[in-house]
Amino acid sequence: MTDNRFADIILPIAVRGRFTYRIPDNLIDKIRPGVRVTVPFGRQNLYSGIVCSIHDSQPDVKNLRSITEVPDHVPSINEIQLKLWLWISEYYLCSEGEVMKAALPSDSSLSSYRPRLETFIGLAVDFTDDELNEMLDKLSKAPRQHELLSTYIRLTEYSTGSEIKLLSKQVLISESKSSPAILDTLIRKGILRSVSSAVTRLSRSERSVEPVHALSNAQSVAFDSIKNQFKEKDIVLLHGITSSGKTEIYIRLIEEQLNMGKQVLYMLPEIALTTQIIHRLKKHFGEITGVYHSRFSDAEKVEIWKKVAEDDTQNGYRLILGVRSSLFLPFSNLGLIIVDEEHDGSYKQHDPAPRYHARDTAIMLAALHSCKTILGSASPSVESYNNAVNGKYGLAELKERFGLIKLPGIVIANTREAYRKKLMVSHFTPELLEAMDDALGKEEQIILFQNRRGFSPYIECSECGWIPVCIQCAVNLTYHKGIRRLVCHYCGYTTGVPVKCGNCHSTGMVTRGFGTEKIEDEIKIVFPDARVARMDQDSTRKKNSFNSIIKAFEDRRIDILIGTQMISKGLDFENLTVVGILNADNMLNFPDFRAHERSYQLMEQVSGRAGRRQKQGKVVIQTADPTNRIIRLVLRHDYEGLFRSQAEERTTFNYPPFCRMVRLNIKHKDRSLLNHYADILGNDLRTIFGKRVLGPEFPLIGQVQLWYIKTILIKIEREKPPANAKKRILEAIDRLEKEKGASSLKIAIDVDPY
Ligand code: ADP
Ligand code: ZN
Ligand code: ZN
């Protein structure tokens, strides 16, 4: 009996299901679930896949192909990871291959991985001082060789009988002002030798480890309450106002787990946040702390991956701080997962699949490790707070700021009235200008928040109202003054700024609205002596730009920092006292059932940056609608009020968390064919789900990159597990895909759209 064993394999492609291959006899010893293998797929391609299971039932296919090889030195996936992948694919209705693509550093990078080698130089043998002196004498006719050898001896302090120390080749050459050729000559003469050795690509941190802080009374109460509730519940929501010291509580919980030899995953929604928190963590936990996010190169990611897999060795990582993709690291022994800023929308991946929510997936991962999850927020999601209120999660609260600093005072500035009375200076109300003036006078710092990047969201002909739009998407182009171009924020298309109107040819093109770039420009005119910087997607394209802006602000080299939601969360600055929210209206008016919740969270978060030490801070919210219900709630920092109003609305209109939702995005390049197929699918789904199907309809942006888009929303009841409903949705999609011509459609499934 030969070759009668088979393996089911995950391949990094969008087709659902696993693929069966024959295991050749010579590889049988190496194949286990989780092992990475190379297999032929399609005409000539070799793919790297992951083995899920091994069996001996011959599949009923012709030309069954065999596994080609099992690359050496490639870490495999552990059983828990395989289970998590399967769960994600079943819950979020995608293929395991799509999860694999998101989970592994790059398609095949684990096997492409090479350690970074550095060359070191040492003496070829342990010469005596006499022997060395003799050599140096001989080399006096070759002064550069002489210099190199004596530099080596000086730097390593070598003398008879001492250990041969290795010096970095680079250092030796630069210190002796020498060259690789001269070094080679000494190596050839048998005096020196070179060795290569793997070095880390990851930056090293300070070594000193400080003890964790003592908790305040309120913090101790919350800490004890979390621990108590963990006796009965797997998930506790820590609802603590901004600057109440949630992070300090996490640090305590982390310490306990590390002492028990467990791993901890600490998740944050945004890369910008990791730069500050990592310092706080490394200060206490030192070298076992690692960071993981998408700005790392594949080689760096692989190195982190390995350090997590080797958690029990001295060089391993046991505490990982990361954004959503850190869920996929090869943890084997998690004791706790912390999801900080759990309400944050950045935890949901939109495109491509897997469209997973990292908070919800973290809860699943914790279950697979039988460990606990702590969700933290100053303004929890309606979903999580609802789970806490009805007892599914535990709830711990922190209602005072550390040091008993008061929450910032909030001033609502009426822009409509200020415009009418001609009191506005550019986009700034008198209230905001006064607060800023005051802060600058005391050498305190300011953050201005505007949730739009670029200079102006659109430009317009002042004669006829013509607006330049993207050639591929149904959106206005945003004007970016720095690069003097119009940019589409959906597809990246850019074009020059037209001098003349494309419709009436007048030269009266004017900018409308304002983004961060414009605020930066104008603030420099209003406060010419202030040092101004901007933090948004455009100003942080380079890898370390977050660090440098945050560092500059910490070091007080920036007086006024202007930014998008990137600056709204989690950051902790000592000397920041004034926060300005330039336009609260555009977020409040966004057409989405979560718009009010999100606006509240954003305003509460960004306000929370102000006055975190010693002094109470001040927040100015600019709005044309000062009586707005949500703004009044922010004014009173009334989270419970927000929750009650949202829960009531969503019960009445049947929205999450009181139902589940699945959104289908259907795309086609031809508008009428899109209408045709979307209707077929909509009608089919209506025969199953009746009135709980909404649409098909065009979303706010009805065309992106030449693809027209229609969405269908399906509401599924909460009471039953959703698996059956999801199965029927997939079946309906399968039926549509069998229709003639339907292969030119793209259909994306978004479970729990966020
Ligand atoms: P949150 O995460 O709730 O916004 P932080 O944990 O960042 O709050 O705490 C706010 C500030 O107060 C931080 O600078 C933190 O170092 C400080 N702080 C909080 N708790 C303590 C404590 N127990 N001892 C010393 N400093 C603390
Ligand atoms: Zn576009
Ligand atoms: Zn015109």
Side-chain angles (χ1 to χ4, degrees):
M1 287 246 280
T2 53
D3 290 3
N4 63 347
R5 300 285 285 163
F6 306 93
D8 291 345
I9 289 172
I10 300 172
L11 293 179
I13 56 176
V15 181
R16 266 184 285 274
R18 295 171 175 178
F19 301 83
T20 305
Y21 285 83
R22 190 188 298 281
I23 305 175
D25 273 355
N26 60 330
L27 293 180
I28 193 82
D29 295 339
K30 292 184 174 176
I31 307 273
R32 280 174 288 110
V35 161
R36 195 189 274 253
V37 291
T38 310
V39 295
F41 187 80
R43 286 215 189 118
Q44 289 170 359
N45 298 328
L46 283 181
Y47 270 71
S48 152
I50 299 286
V51 175
C52 309
S53 60
I54 298 164
H55 55 85
D56 50 17
S57 54
Q58 165 118 26
D60 185 20
V61 286
K62 273 184 251 151
N63 304 326
L64 184 71
R65 297 163 95 174
S66 297
I67 294 174
T68 313
E69 67 164 321
V70 183
D72 280 335
H73 310 301
V74 180
S76 46
I77 307 302
N78 68 38
E79 201 185 336
I80 293 179
Q81 288 176 288
L82 272 181
K83 284 186 185 158
L84 185 72
W85 291 12
L86 180 63
W87 179 81
I88 293 175
S89 77
E90 285 175 348
Y91 187 88
Y92 291 105
L93 303 180
C94 61
S95 76
E96 285 177 285
E98 286 168 314
V99 185
M100 173 180 171
K101 279 203 268 187
L104 298 185
S106 86
D107 210 30
S108 56
S109 59
L110 283 180
S111 51
S112 75
Y113 175 73
R114 294 277 172 279
R116 184 160 93 190
L117 295 177
E118 198 175 314
T119 309
F120 295 88
I121 303 298
L123 284 179
V125 287
D126 45 0
F127 298 112
T128 63
D129 288 352
D130 288 349
E131 285 168 333
L132 282 173
N133 284 333
E134 200 175 313
M135 281 180 221
L136 286 168
D137 273 354
K138 273 192 204 155
L139 288 176
S140 58
K141 277 174 245 128
R144 297 186 69 191
Q145 292 178 37
H146 184 280
E147 176 62 24
L148 199 149
L149 180 58
S150 48
T151 304
Y152 172 85
I153 296 169
R154 180 167 50 82
L155 291 178
T156 57
E157 297 172 353
Y158 181 83
S159 63
T160 308
S162 68
E163 183 196 351
I164 299 174
K165 286 196 193 129
L166 295 177
L167 263 189
S168 143
K169 175 177 171 181
Q170 233 183 340
V171 170
L172 180 60
I173 287 177
S174 74
E175 285 290 316
S176 58
K177 302 191 182 55
S178 194
S179 72
I182 307 245
L183 176 63
D184 281 347
T185 313
L186 288 177
I187 293 172
R188 244 182 297 117
K189 287 183 178 170
I191 300 174
L192 296 177
R193 70 187 176 105
S194 89
V195 239
S196 5
S197 169
V199 292
T200 180
R201 293 179 173 85
L202 311 172
S203 65
R204 297 185 163 263
S205 70
E206 58 265 56
R207 244 150 249 275
S208 65
V209 172
E210 287 177 23
V212 303
H213 294 138
L215 296 182
S216 70
N217 265 347
Q219 287 170 336
S220 301
V221 171
F223 178 79
D224 292 342
S225 147
I226 291 169
K227 301 252 312 195
N228 262 328
Q229 298 187 67
F230 272 159
K231 286 180 195 152
E232 280 164 23
K233 296 192 165 138
D234 290 330
I235 303 153
V236 173
L237 173 65
L238 173 59
H239 175 210
I241 63 172
T242 54
S243 204
S244 55
K246 295 184 287 298
T247 316
E248 296 297 327
I249 293 186
Y250 304 150
I251 288 173
R252 277 311 190 81
L253 293 164
I254 292 168
E255 189 188 34
E256 280 193 350
Q257 292 301 324
L258 294 177
N259 287 344
M260 292 189 283
K262 294 281 192 173
Q263 298 168 314
V264 178
L265 170 61
Y266 184 151
M267 300 212 329
L268 286 165
E270 189 105 36
I271 296 175
L273 290 179
T274 60
T275 57
Q276 265 199 344
I277 306 254
I278 193 66
H279 287 298
R280 281 171 82 174
L281 295 180
K282 279 195 174 165
K283 208 168 70 185
H284 299 305
F285 305 116
E287 296 287 330
I288 57 167
T289 317
V291 196
Y292 193 74
H293 57 64
S294 57
R295 290 283 177 107
F296 285 116
S297 68
D298 274 322
E300 285 167 323
K301 285 182 185 167
V302 173
E303 201 167 327
I304 298 166
W305 180 284
K306 292 187 151 201
K307 276 172 157 272
V308 174
E310 294 160 6
D311 79 295
D312 49 350
T313 69
Q314 220 183 358
N315 292 320
Y317 283 149
R318 292 203 284 128
L319 168 58
I320 283 287
L321 180 70
V323 297
R324 59 173 186 247
S325 55
S326 56
L327 283 170
F328 295 117
L329 288 168
F331 298 105
S332 54
N333 185 23
L334 274 174
L336 176 70
I337 301 180
I338 298 159
V339 184
D340 197 14
E341 314 287 359
E342 67 82 28
H343 62 275
D344 200 289
S346 317
Y347 278 126
K348 179 81 191 295
Q349 165 143 325
H350 295 287
D351 259 317
R355 298 180 180 81
Y356 65 106
H357 196 301
R359 174 197 58 215
D360 302 343
T361 309
I363 289 172
M364 189 58 209
L365 178 63
L368 291 172
H369 282 268
S370 308
C371 83
K372 305 288 180 186
T373 308
I374 181 132
L375 308 178
S377 176
S379 45
S381 62
V382 172
E383 280 83 354
S384 296
Y385 201 77
N386 187 57
N387 279 330
V389 167
N390 67 26
K392 188 169 162 201
Y393 299 170
L395 177 66
E397 291 184 296
L398 266 177
K399 298 199 165 179
E400 61 183 46
R401 282 189 147 186
F402 179 72
L404 298 178
I405 312 266
K406 284 201 193 125
L407 277 172
I410 296 188
V411 175
I412 295 179
N414 186 337
T415 51
R416 194 187 302 263
E417 194 178 273
Y419 274 117
R420 194 170 49 79
K421 294 188 179 160
K422 304 216 167 14
L423 293 174
M424 288 295 274
V425 177
S426 140
H427 299 289
F428 314 109
T429 53
E431 290 91 334
L432 179 58
L433 290 174
E434 195 195 310
M436 290 178 73
D437 230 10
D438 195 40
L440 291 172
K442 295 190 217 149
E443 300 195 342
E444 293 166 2
Q445 290 164 292
I446 298 162
I447 275 187
L448 297 181
F449 169 74
Q450 168 63 1
N451 216 7
R452 270 212 153 112
R453 64 193 174 93
F455 188 85
S456 61
Y458 63 105
I459 65 171
E460 188 178 48
C461 169
S462 55
E463 298 291 322
C464 72
W466 177 77
I467 297 171
V469 294
C470 180
I471 54 166
Q472 312 193 76
C473 314
V475 288
N476 298 336
L477 293 170
T478 300
Y479 173 45
H480 285 249
K481 193 175 171 192
I483 52 170
R484 305 218 149 272
R485 289 183 84 75
L486 299 178
V487 179
C488 172
H489 284 186
Y490 282 79
C491 73
Y493 166 80
T494 82
T495 180
V497 184
V499 193
K500 287 186 185 163
C501 169
N503 178 42
C504 75
H505 308 296
S506 95
T507 52
M509 296 303 296
V510 289
T511 64
R512 294 284 189 217
F514 57 94
T516 45
E517 213 184 358
K518 186 167 191 210
I519 295 302
E520 183 185 13
D521 258 27
E522 306 206 336
I523 216 71
K524 284 177 178 162
I525 299 171
V526 184
F527 296 103
D529 298 329
R531 293 160 304 171
V532 180
R534 175 162 62 88
M535 186 150 124
D536 57 27
Q537 210 175 308
D538 301 305
S539 74
T540 54
R541 291 201 192 280
K542 291 208 207 90
K543 188 174 165 190
N544 285 318
S545 40
F546 295 115
N547 294 11
S548 48
I549 298 174
I550 288 170
K551 184 84 177 36
F553 199 74
E554 277 173 350
D555 295 346
R556 307 192 189 181
R557 284 180 277 125
I558 297 170
D559 300 308
I560 305 172
L561 181 62
I562 297 149
T564 53
Q565 101 292 338
M566 250 181 218
I567 57 168
S568 69
K569 311 164 190 177
L571 295 170
D572 184 36
F573 298 113
E574 202 172 344
N575 188 44
L576 165 62
T577 55
V578 169
V579 166
I581 297 174
L582 293 167
N583 179 351
D585 307 330
N586 56 17
M587 45 183 167
L588 284 165
N589 297 331
F590 193 76
D592 182 274
F593 77 94
R594 285 196 179 89
H596 285 173
E597 175 189 353
R598 288 224 172 99
S599 309
Y600 179 92
Q601 284 160 343
L602 255 170
M603 287 190 268
E604 193 63 57
Q605 284 292 321
V606 68
S607 307
R609 300 313 106 217
R612 290 167 72 89
R613 314 280 166 79
Q614 288 108 29
K615 302 161 244 193
Q616 187 189 14
K618 186 171 193 175
V619 177
V620 179
I621 301 179
Q622 300 195 148
T623 172
D625 179 16
T627 58
N628 181 289
R629 197 158 51 90
I630 302 299
I631 293 183
R632 305 318 285 186
L633 291 167
V634 175
L635 186 66
R636 299 197 303 269
H637 300 289
D638 182 4
Y639 174 77
E640 276 84 9
L642 174 90
F643 174 75
R644 275 195 306 275
S645 75
Q646 294 308 298
E648 194 180 299
E649 255 177 55
R650 295 193 202 174
T651 313
T652 312
F653 298 106
N654 195 25
Y655 275 108
F658 307 103
C659 74
R660 298 174 192 272
M661 287 198 318
V662 176
R663 183 167 59 206
L664 306 179
N665 290 319
I666 310 147
K667 299 186 199 174
H668 200 290
K669 289 197 172 167
D670 182 298
R671 196 184 160 102
S672 63
L673 285 176
L674 174 66
N675 283 332
H676 171 72
Y677 290 115
D679 283 343
I680 295 179
L681 182 58
N683 291 336
D684 189 353
L685 287 166
R686 245 180 279 278
T687 62
I688 308 165
F689 297 100
K691 274 194 261 171
R692 284 173 294 157
V693 179
L694 309 181
E697 57 193 29
F698 284 106
L700 197 58
I701 310 294
Q703 189 191 22
V704 171
Q705 283 192 302
L706 298 178
W707 292 80
Y708 290 96
I709 307 166
K710 275 197 145 175
T711 61
I712 295 176
L713 203 60
I714 304 140
K715 291 182 172 179
I716 304 172
E717 67 233 11
R718 260 281 152 202
E719 291 67 34
K720 288 188 222 154
N724 187 40
K726 286 177 180 173
K727 186 167 148 261
R728 304 188 72 176
I729 292 172
L730 282 183
E731 287 164 359
I733 292 173
D734 281 347
R735 281 193 292 276
L736 177 69
E737 282 174 342
K738 289 202 186 82
E739 292 272 331
K740 194 158 161 270
S743 59
S744 47
L745 285 171
K746 281 195 208 170
I747 302 176
I749 312 173
D750 194 353
V751 176
D752 303 339
Y754 215 77

